Amino acid sequence: MTFSIIARDPRTGAFGAAAATGTPVVGGLVLHLASDVGAIATQGLSTNPLYGVRGLRLLESNFDADETRQRLIEDDDGRDARQLVVVDGNGRTSGWTGVDNIETKHLILGQDVALAGNWVASERVIVAAKEAFESSASPTFAGKLIDALAAGERAGGDSRGLRSAAVRVVCRNDPPIDLRADFDRHPILRLAEIHRATLEPDFQAFLARVPTIADPTRR
């Protein structure tokens, strides 16, 4: 149904997340991030976007990734239909896959990066995505996440095909990135095209004037 990746950049402290699925508007439901706090991807047979809202509050209250995951699923009677990955401010990760999710379902949890997939072609989907993220030559964090999605699609992707994809990045030193292909026959290609447009000099000059957490008076 969906495959996703969340990550922390230990060099900059940025958090990033990306997802692709066979239904529309994956970004608004699945990806939840807050600068200096963490990132969450919530998906599954019955996605619970409240995991993102509540989970970020827990992380901000100094719960670690495992504690956040545990509190979320304990409080949810629908946990067996959910899938979840969390990365906290120290790069620790945790995840959950409920038994009602459709095969193939798989999690990968590592320092600074976590991936999840359900109703995907095979476990290779998120294995390939992780490998591509770690070996990506993209100069941007968002680009590395998009490369991960593209590799996951090449490995089989969502068993139904893809209709939407999204990538988000938050960092105290930079404006947020929130790119979405909400309904497209080739959403990851479209996402990559949008990302390339954000790298054009005129747009980069504009972003250089946008206030950030680290520099709120920039103009």
Side-chain angles (χ1 to χ4, degrees), residues 11-94:
R11 182 179 61 85
T12 65
F15 291 97
T21 193
T23 58
V25 297
V26 67
L29 290 173
V30 171
L31 305 180
H32 303 263
L33 303 87
S35 183
D36 297 331
V37 175
I40 294 171
T42 170
Q43 55 197 50
L45 179 65
S46 298
T47 300
N48 187 349
L50 297 177
Y51 277 11
V53 177
R54 293 171 179 165
L56 290 175
R57 289 175 183 162
L58 291 169
L59 291 172
E60 193 168 20
S61 298
N62 295 318
F63 283 67
D64 67 22
D66 273 333
E67 292 166 338
T68 297
R69 181 262 308 157
Q70 187 61 31
R71 177 66 67 88
L72 291 172
I73 63 174
E74 282 179 350
D75 292 344
D76 181 15
D77 290 340
R79 66 183 73 87
D80 287 341
R82 321 297 190 203
Q83 191 175 49
L84 168 75
V85 280
V86 182
V87 59
D88 66 26
N90 292 307
R92 296 168 296 202
T93 61
S94 189

Coordinates of all heavy atoms in Angstrom, one line a residue, residues 11-94:
R11 N 24.8 15.5 10.2 CA 25.7 16.6 9.9 C 25.0 18.0 10.2 O 25.6 18.9 10.8 CB 26.2 16.6 8.5 CG 27.2 17.7 8.1 CD 27.6 17.5 6.7 NE 26.5 17.6 5.7 CZ 26.0 18.8 5.3 NH1 26.5 19.9 5.6 NH2 25.0 18.7 4.4
T12 N 23.8 18.1 9.8 CA 23.0 19.4 9.9 C 21.9 19.3 10.9 O 21.4 20.4 11.3 CB 22.4 19.7 8.5 OG1 21.4 18.7 8.2 CG2 23.4 19.7 7.4
G13 N 21.5 18.2 11.4 CA 20.4 18.0 12.3 C 19.1 18.1 11.6 O 18.0 18.1 12.3
A14 N 19.1 18.1 10.3 CA 17.8 18.1 9.5 C 17.1 16.8 9.7 O 17.7 15.7 9.9 CB 18.0 18.4 8.1
F15 N 15.8 16.8 9.6 CA 14.9 15.6 9.6 C 14.3 15.6 8.2 O 13.8 16.6 7.7 CB 13.9 15.6 10.6 CG 14.4 15.4 12.0 CD1 14.7 16.5 12.9 CD2 14.8 14.1 12.5 CE1 15.2 16.3 14.1 CE2 15.3 14.0 13.8 CZ 15.5 15.1 14.6
G16 N 14.2 14.4 7.6 CA 13.6 14.3 6.3 C 12.7 13.0 6.3 O 12.9 12.1 7.0
A17 N 11.7 13.0 5.4 CA 10.8 11.9 5.2 C 10.3 11.9 3.8 O 10.1 13.0 3.2 CB 9.7 12.0 6.2
A18 N 10.1 10.7 3.3 CA 9.5 10.6 1.9 C 8.7 9.3 1.9 O 8.9 8.3 2.6 CB 10.6 10.5 0.9
A19 N 7.6 9.4 1.0 CA 6.7 8.2 0.9 C 6.1 8.2 -0.5 O 6.0 9.2 -1.2 CB 5.6 8.3 1.9
A20 N 5.7 7.0 -0.9 CA 5.0 6.8 -2.2 C 3.9 5.7 -2.0 O 4.1 4.8 -1.2 CB 6.0 6.4 -3.3
T21 N 2.8 5.9 -2.7 CA 1.7 5.0 -2.5 C 0.8 4.9 -3.7 O 1.0 5.7 -4.7 CB 0.8 5.4 -1.3 OG1 -0.1 4.3 -0.9 CG2 0.0 6.6 -1.6
G22 N -0.1 3.9 -3.7 CA -1.0 3.7 -4.8 C -2.3 4.5 -4.8 O -3.1 4.4 -5.6
T23 N -2.4 5.4 -3.8 CA -3.6 6.3 -3.6 C -3.1 7.7 -3.7 O -1.9 8.0 -3.6 CB -4.3 6.0 -2.3 OG1 -3.4 6.2 -1.2 CG2 -4.8 4.6 -2.2
P24 N -4.1 8.7 -3.8 CA -3.7 10.1 -3.8 C -3.2 10.6 -2.5 O -3.3 10.0 -1.4 CB -5.0 10.8 -4.2 CG -5.9 9.7 -4.7 CD -5.5 8.5 -4.0
V25 N -2.6 11.7 -2.5 CA -2.2 12.6 -1.4 C -1.5 11.9 -0.2 O -1.9 12.1 0.9 CB -3.4 13.4 -0.9 CG1 -4.0 14.3 -2.0 CG2 -4.6 12.5 -0.4
V26 N -0.4 11.2 -0.5 CA 0.3 10.5 0.5 C 0.9 11.4 1.5 O 1.0 11.2 2.7 CB 1.3 9.5 -0.1 CG1 2.4 10.3 -0.8 CG2 1.9 8.6 1.0
G27 N 1.4 12.6 1.1 CA 2.2 13.5 1.9 C 1.5 14.0 3.1 O 2.0 14.1 4.2
G28 N 0.2 14.4 2.9 CA -0.6 15.0 4.0 C -1.0 14.1 5.1 O -1.2 14.5 6.2
L29 N -1.1 12.8 4.8 CA -1.4 11.8 5.8 C -0.3 11.1 6.5 O -0.3 10.8 7.7 CB -2.3 10.7 5.2 CG -3.7 11.2 4.7 CD1 -4.4 10.0 4.0 CD2 -4.6 11.6 5.9
V30 N 0.8 10.8 5.7 CA 1.8 9.9 6.2 C 3.0 10.6 6.8 O 3.5 10.1 7.8 CB 2.3 9.1 5.0 CG1 3.6 8.3 5.4 CG2 1.2 8.1 4.5
L31 N 3.4 11.8 6.3 CA 4.7 12.4 6.8 C 4.5 13.5 7.8 O 3.7 14.5 7.5 CB 5.4 13.0 5.5 CG 5.6 12.0 4.4 CD1 6.4 12.7 3.3 CD2 6.4 10.7 4.9
H32 N 5.2 13.4 8.9 CA 5.0 14.3 10.0 C 6.4 14.6 10.6 O 7.1 13.7 11.0 CB 4.1 13.8 11.1 CG 2.8 13.4 10.6 ND1 1.7 14.2 10.7 CD2 2.3 12.3 10.0 CE1 0.6 13.6 10.2 NE2 1.0 12.5 9.7
L33 N 6.8 15.9 10.6 CA 8.2 16.3 11.0 C 8.1 17.6 11.8 O 7.2 18.4 11.5 CB 9.1 16.5 9.8 CG 9.3 15.4 8.8 CD1 8.3 15.4 7.7 CD2 10.7 15.6 8.1
A34 N 9.1 17.8 12.6 CA 9.3 19.1 13.3 C 10.8 19.3 13.5 O 11.5 18.4 14.0 CB 8.5 19.1 14.7
S35 N 11.2 20.5 13.2 CA 12.6 20.8 13.4 C 13.1 20.7 14.8 O 12.3 21.1 15.7 CB 12.9 22.3 12.9 OG 14.2 22.6 12.9
D36 N 14.2 20.1 15.0 CA 14.8 19.9 16.4 C 14.1 18.9 17.2 O 14.4 18.7 18.4 CB 14.9 21.2 17.1 CG 15.8 22.2 16.5 OD1 16.8 21.8 15.8 OD2 15.6 23.4 16.7
V37 N 13.1 18.2 16.6 CA 12.2 17.3 17.3 C 12.3 15.9 16.8 O 12.7 14.9 17.5 CB 10.8 17.7 17.4 CG1 9.9 16.7 18.0 CG2 10.6 19.1 18.1
G38 N 12.0 15.6 15.5 CA 12.0 14.3 15.0 C 11.1 14.2 13.7 O 10.6 15.2 13.2
A39 N 10.9 12.9 13.3 CA 10.1 12.6 12.1 C 9.4 11.3 12.4 O 9.9 10.4 13.0 CB 11.0 12.5 10.9
I40 N 8.2 11.3 11.8 CA 7.3 10.1 11.9 C 6.7 9.9 10.5 O 6.2 10.8 9.9 CB 6.2 10.4 13.0 CG1 6.8 10.5 14.3 CG2 5.1 9.3 12.9 CD1 5.8 10.9 15.4
A41 N 6.6 8.6 10.2 CA 5.8 8.2 9.0 C 4.7 7.2 9.6 O 5.1 6.2 10.2 CB 6.6 7.5 7.9
T42 N 3.4 7.5 9.3 CA 2.3 6.7 9.8 C 1.5 6.3 8.6 O 1.1 7.1 7.8 CB 1.5 7.5 10.8 OG1 0.3 6.7 11.1 CG2 1.1 8.9 10.4
Q43 N 1.3 5.0 8.5 CA 0.7 4.4 7.3 C 0.0 3.1 7.7 O -0.2 2.9 8.9 CB 1.7 4.2 6.2 CG 2.9 3.3 6.6 CD 4.1 3.4 5.7 OE1 4.6 4.4 5.4 NE2 4.6 2.2 5.3
G44 N -0.4 2.3 6.7 CA -1.0 1.0 7.0 C -2.3 0.8 6.4 O -2.8 1.6 5.6
L45 N -2.9 -0.3 6.7 CA -4.2 -0.7 6.1 C -5.2 0.4 6.5 O -6.1 0.8 5.6 CB -4.7 -2.0 6.7 CG -6.1 -2.5 6.3 CD1 -6.1 -2.8 4.8 CD2 -6.5 -3.7 7.1
S46 N -5.2 1.0 7.7 CA -6.0 2.1 8.1 C -5.0 3.1 8.7 O -4.7 3.0 9.9 CB -7.1 1.7 9.1 OG -8.0 0.8 8.5
T47 N -4.5 4.1 7.9 CA -3.5 5.0 8.4 C -4.1 5.9 9.5 O -5.3 6.4 9.4 CB -3.1 5.9 7.2 OG1 -2.5 5.1 6.2 CG2 -2.1 7.0 7.7
N48 N -3.3 6.1 10.5 CA -3.7 7.0 11.7 C -2.9 8.2 11.7 O -1.8 8.2 12.3 CB -3.6 6.2 13.0 CG -4.2 7.0 14.1 OD1 -4.5 8.2 14.0 ND2 -4.4 6.4 15.3
P49 N -3.3 9.3 11.1 CA -2.5 10.6 11.1 C -2.3 11.2 12.4 O -1.3 11.9 12.6 CB -3.3 11.5 10.1 CG -4.7 11.0 10.2 CD -4.6 9.5 10.3
L50 N -3.1 10.8 13.4 CA -2.9 11.3 14.8 C -1.6 10.8 15.4 O -1.1 11.4 16.3 CB -4.1 10.9 15.6 CG -5.5 11.4 15.2 CD1 -6.6 10.9 16.1 CD2 -5.4 13.0 15.3
Y51 N -1.1 9.6 14.9 CA 0.2 9.2 15.3 C 1.2 10.3 15.1 O 2.2 10.4 15.9 CB 0.6 7.9 14.6 CG 0.1 6.6 15.1 CD1 -0.9 6.6 16.0 CD2 0.6 5.4 14.6 CE1 -1.4 5.4 16.5 CE2 0.1 4.2 15.1 CZ -0.9 4.2 16.0 OH -1.4 3.0 16.5
G52 N 1.1 11.0 14.0 CA 2.1 12.1 13.7 C 1.9 13.2 14.6 O 2.9 13.7 15.2
V53 N 0.7 13.7 14.8 CA 0.4 14.8 15.7 C 0.8 14.5 17.1 O 1.6 15.3 17.8 CB -1.1 15.2 15.6 CG1 -1.4 16.3 16.6 CG2 -1.5 15.6 14.2
R54 N 0.3 13.4 17.6 CA 0.6 13.0 19.0 C 2.1 12.6 19.2 O 2.7 12.9 20.2 CB -0.3 11.9 19.5 CG -1.8 12.4 19.5 CD -2.7 11.2 19.7 NE -4.1 11.6 19.8 CZ -5.1 10.8 19.7 NH1 -4.9 9.5 19.5 NH2 -6.4 11.3 19.8
G55 N 2.6 11.9 18.2 CA 4.0 11.5 18.3 C 5.0 12.6 18.4 O 6.0 12.6 19.2
L56 N 4.8 13.7 17.6 CA 5.7 14.8 17.7 C 5.6 15.5 19.0 O 6.6 16.0 19.6 CB 5.4 15.8 16.5 CG 5.8 15.3 15.1 CD1 5.3 16.3 14.1 CD2 7.3 15.0 15.0
R57 N 4.4 15.5 19.6 CA 4.3 16.1 21.0 C 5.1 15.3 22.0 O 5.7 15.8 22.9 CB 2.8 16.2 21.3 CG 2.0 17.2 20.6 CD 0.6 17.2 20.9 NE -0.3 18.1 20.2 CZ -1.6 18.0 20.1 NH1 -2.2 17.0 20.7 NH2 -2.2 18.9 19.3
L58 N 5.0 14.0 21.9 CA 5.7 13.1 22.8 C 7.2 13.3 22.6 O 8.0 13.4 23.6 CB 5.4 11.7 22.5 CG 3.9 11.3 22.9 CD1 3.6 9.9 22.4 CD2 3.8 11.3 24.4
L59 N 7.7 13.3 21.4 CA 9.1 13.6 21.1 C 9.6 14.9 21.7 O 10.7 15.0 22.3 CB 9.4 13.5 19.6 CG 9.3 12.1 19.0 CD1 9.4 12.2 17.5 CD2 10.3 11.1 19.5
E60 N 8.8 15.9 21.5 CA 9.1 17.2 22.0 C 9.1 17.3 23.6 O 9.8 18.1 24.2 CB 8.1 18.3 21.5 CG 8.5 19.7 21.7 CD 7.7 20.7 20.9 OE1 6.5 20.3 20.6 OE2 8.1 21.8 20.7
S61 N 8.4 16.3 24.2 CA 8.4 16.2 25.6 C 9.5 15.2 26.1 O 9.4 14.7 27.3 CB 7.0 15.7 26.1 OG 6.0 16.6 25.7
N62 N 10.5 15.0 25.3 CA 11.7 14.2 25.6 C 11.4 12.7 25.7 O 12.2 11.9 26.3 CB 12.3 14.7 26.9 CG 12.9 16.1 26.8 OD1 13.5 16.4 25.8 ND2 12.7 16.9 27.8
F63 N 10.3 12.2 25.2 CA 10.2 10.7 24.9 C 11.1 10.3 23.8 O 11.3 11.1 22.8 CB 8.7 10.4 24.5 CG 7.8 10.4 25.7 CD1 7.4 11.6 26.3 CD2 7.1 9.2 26.1 CE1 6.5 11.6 27.4 CE2 6.2 9.2 27.1 CZ 5.9 10.4 27.8
D64 N 11.8 9.2 23.9 CA 12.6 8.7 22.8 C 11.8 8.0 21.8 O 10.5 7.9 22.0 CB 13.8 7.9 23.3 CG 13.4 6.6 24.0 OD1 12.3 6.0 23.7 OD2 14.2 6.0 24.7
A65 N 12.4 7.5 20.8 CA 11.7 6.8 19.7 C 10.9 5.6 20.2 O 9.7 5.5 19.8 CB 12.6 6.4 18.6
D66 N 11.5 4.8 21.0 CA 10.8 3.6 21.5 C 9.6 3.9 22.4 O 8.5 3.4 22.3 CB 11.8 2.7 22.2 CG 12.5 1.7 21.3 OD1 11.9 1.3 20.3 OD2 13.6 1.3 21.7
E67 N 9.9 4.9 23.3 CA 8.8 5.3 24.2 C 7.6 5.9 23.4 O 6.5 5.7 23.8 CB 9.4 6.3 25.2 CG 10.4 5.7 26.2 CD 11.1 6.7 26.9 OE1 11.2 7.9 26.5 OE2 11.7 6.4 28.0
T68 N 7.9 6.7 22.4 CA 6.9 7.3 21.6 C 6.1 6.3 20.8 O 4.8 6.3 20.9 CB 7.5 8.3 20.6 OG1 8.2 9.3 21.3 CG2 6.5 8.9 19.6
R69 N 6.8 5.3 20.2 CA 6.1 4.3 19.5 C 5.2 3.5 20.4 O 4.0 3.2 20.2 CB 7.1 3.3 18.8 CG 6.5 2.2 18.0 CD 6.5 0.9 18.9 NE 7.8 0.6 19.4 CZ 8.1 -0.1 20.4 NH1 7.1 -0.7 21.1 NH2 9.3 -0.3 20.9
Q70 N 5.7 3.1 21.6 CA 4.9 2.3 22.6 C 3.7 3.1 23.1 O 2.6 2.5 23.2 CB 5.8 1.9 23.7 CG 5.2 0.9 24.7 CD 4.8 -0.4 24.0 OE1 5.5 -0.8 23.1 NE2 3.7 -1.0 24.5
R71 N 3.8 4.3 23.4 CA 2.7 5.1 23.9 C 1.6 5.2 22.8 O 0.4 5.1 23.1 CB 3.2 6.5 24.3 CG 2.1 7.4 24.8 CD 1.4 6.9 26.1 NE 2.3 7.0 27.2 CZ 2.5 8.1 27.9 NH1 1.8 9.2 27.7 NH2 3.4 8.1 29.0
L72 N 2.0 5.5 21.6 CA 1.1 5.6 20.5 C 0.2 4.3 20.3 O -1.0 4.4 20.2 CB 1.8 6.0 19.2 CG 2.4 7.4 19.1 CD1 3.2 7.6 17.9 CD2 1.3 8.5 19.2
I73 N 0.9 3.2 20.2 CA 0.2 2.0 20.0 C -0.7 1.5 21.2 O -1.7 0.9 21.0 CB 1.1 0.8 19.4 CG1 2.1 0.4 20.4 CG2 1.7 1.3 18.1 CD1 2.9 -0.8 20.0
E74 N -0.1 1.8 22.4 CA -0.9 1.4 23.6 C -2.2 2.1 23.6 O -3.2 1.6 24.1 CB -0.1 1.8 24.8 CG 1.0 0.8 25.2 CD 1.8 1.2 26.4 OE1 1.5 2.4 26.9 OE2 2.6 0.4 26.9
D75 N -2.3 3.4 23.1 CA -3.5 4.2 23.2 C -4.4 4.0 22.1 O -5.4 4.7 22.0 CB -3.1 5.7 23.3 CG -2.4 6.0 24.7 OD1 -2.4 5.2 25.6 OD2 -1.7 7.1 24.7
D76 N -4.1 3.1 21.2 CA -4.9 2.9 19.9 C -5.4 1.5 19.8 O -4.7 0.6 19.5 CB -4.0 3.3 18.7 CG -4.7 3.2 17.4 OD1 -5.9 3.1 17.4 OD2 -4.0 3.1 16.4
D77 N -6.8 1.4 19.9 CA -7.4 0.1 19.7 C -7.3 -0.4 18.3 O -7.5 -1.6 18.1 CB -8.9 0.1 20.1 CG -9.0 0.3 21.6 OD1 -8.1 0.0 22.4 OD2 -10.1 0.7 22.1
G78 N -7.0 0.5 17.3 CA -6.8 0.0 16.0 C -5.4 -0.3 15.6 O -5.1 -0.3 14.4
R79 N -4.5 -0.5 16.6 CA -3.1 -0.6 16.3 C -2.8 -1.7 15.3 O -1.8 -1.7 14.6 CB -2.3 -0.9 17.6 CG -2.6 -2.2 18.3 CD -1.9 -2.4 19.6 NE -2.5 -1.5 20.6 CZ -3.6 -1.9 21.4 NH1 -4.1 -3.1 21.2 NH2 -4.0 -1.0 22.3
D80 N -3.6 -2.8 15.2 CA -3.3 -3.9 14.4 C -3.4 -3.6 12.9 O -2.9 -4.3 12.0 CB -4.2 -5.1 14.7 CG -3.8 -5.8 16.0 OD1 -2.7 -5.6 16.4 OD2 -4.6 -6.5 16.5
A81 N -4.0 -2.4 12.6 CA -4.1 -2.0 11.2 C -3.1 -0.9 10.8 O -3.2 -0.3 9.8 CB -5.6 -1.5 10.9
R82 N -2.2 -0.6 11.8 CA -1.3 0.5 11.6 C 0.1 0.1 11.3 O 0.5 -1.1 11.6 CB -1.2 1.4 12.8 CG -2.5 1.7 13.5 CD -3.5 2.4 12.8 NE -4.6 2.8 13.7 CZ -5.8 3.0 13.3 NH1 -6.2 3.0 12.0 NH2 -6.8 3.4 14.2
Q83 N 0.9 1.0 10.6 CA 2.3 0.8 10.5 C 3.0 2.1 10.8 O 2.4 3.2 10.4 CB 2.7 0.3 9.1 CG 4.2 -0.1 9.0 CD 4.6 -0.7 7.7 OE1 4.3 -0.2 6.6 NE2 5.2 -1.9 7.7
L84 N 4.1 2.1 11.5 CA 4.7 3.4 12.0 C 6.2 3.2 12.1 O 6.7 2.2 12.4 CB 4.1 3.6 13.4 CG 4.7 4.6 14.3 CD1 4.3 6.0 13.9 CD2 4.3 4.4 15.8
V85 N 6.9 4.3 11.7 CA 8.3 4.5 12.0 C 8.6 5.8 12.6 O 7.9 6.8 12.3 CB 9.2 4.2 10.8 CG1 9.4 2.8 10.5 CG2 8.7 5.0 9.6
V86 N 9.5 5.9 13.6 CA 9.8 7.1 14.3 C 11.3 7.3 14.4 O 12.1 6.3 14.6 CB 9.3 7.0 15.8 CG1 9.6 8.3 16.5 CG2 7.8 6.7 15.8
V87 N 11.8 8.5 14.2 CA 13.2 8.9 14.5 C 13.2 10.1 15.4 O 12.5 11.0 15.2 CB 14.0 9.1 13.2 CG1 13.5 10.3 12.4 CG2 15.5 9.4 13.6
D88 N 14.0 10.0 16.5 CA 14.0 11.0 17.5 C 15.2 12.0 17.3 O 16.0 11.8 16.4 CB 13.9 10.5 18.9 CG 15.1 9.7 19.3 OD1 16.2 9.9 18.8 OD2 15.0 8.8 20.2
G89 N 15.3 12.9 18.2 CA 16.3 14.0 18.1 C 17.8 13.5 18.2 O 18.7 14.2 17.7
N90 N 18.0 12.3 18.7 CA 19.3 11.7 18.7 C 19.5 10.6 17.6 O 20.5 9.9 17.7 CB 19.5 11.0 20.1 CG 19.6 12.1 21.2 OD1 20.4 13.0 21.1 ND2 18.8 11.9 22.2
G91 N 18.6 10.5 16.7 CA 18.7 9.6 15.6 C 18.3 8.2 15.9 O 18.5 7.3 15.1
R92 N 17.8 7.9 17.1 CA 17.3 6.6 17.5 C 16.0 6.4 16.7 O 15.2 7.3 16.6 CB 17.1 6.5 19.0 CG 18.4 6.6 19.8 CD 18.1 6.8 21.2 NE 17.4 8.0 21.5 CZ 17.5 8.6 22.7 NH1 18.1 8.1 23.7 NH2 16.8 9.8 22.9
T93 N 15.7 5.1 16.3 CA 14.5 4.8 15.6 C 13.7 3.7 16.2 O 14.3 2.9 17.0 CB 14.9 4.4 14.1 OG1 15.7 3.2 14.1 CG2 15.6 5.5 13.4
S94 N 12.5 3.6 15.9 CA 11.6 2.6 16.3 C 10.5 2.4 15.3 O 10.2 3.3 14.5 CB 11.0 2.9 17.7 OG 10.3 1.8 18.3

